[in-house]
Amino acid sequence: IDVSNLNSIQKKRIYKIVSSTGNRLYGILFNVAKSIYDKNEYTKLNKVEFTDEKISIKEFCVKLNINRIGISVKA
């Protein structure tokens, strides 16, 4: 994946992974710093397992390595 040339659909599908359990992966959209209305915007845990299109984040994710200032780096 060429991170410097993402299309608009790909940009809307970037998630920051916030936690995981044995077989589940939870995240939030990359542009969400903190929910405005706590425990009501997403779920009670303020994270999601599926996209708005009901696609599992875990099954279709591709790992991106991003440094602290938001630039894609090689693993």
Side-chain angles (χ1 to χ4, degrees):
I1 294 177
D2 183 10
V3 179
S4 62
N5 292 320
L6 295 176
N7 62 36
S8 61
I9 294 171
Q10 290 172 321
K11 288 178 183 177
K12 291 179 183 177
R13 291 183 177 171
I14 298 175
Y15 285 81
K16 176 175 65 171
I17 303 306
V18 293
S19 69
S20 64
T21 61
N23 61 353
R24 292 186 169 194
L25 188 70
Y26 298 98
I28 57 172
L29 285 169
F30 78 99
N31 57 356
V32 175
K34 186 176 177 184
S35 61
I36 296 170
Y37 192 44
D38 196 31
K39 297 183 179 26
N40 286 301
E41 287 183 273
Y42 297 108
T43 64
K44 290 185 178 185
L45 300 174
N46 282 334
K47 49 192 172 184
V48 293
E49 186 175 2
F50 298 95
T51 66
D52 292 338
E53 296 86 21
K54 306 297 182 211
I55 299 171
S56 170
I57 297 170
K58 178 184 172 187
E59 291 181 25
F60 294 99
C61 67
V62 175
K63 184 177 181 178
L64 300 175
N65 291 307
I66 309 296
N67 67 13
R68 290 178 179 236
I69 58 173
I71 298 173
S72 175
V73 294
K74 291 186 178 183

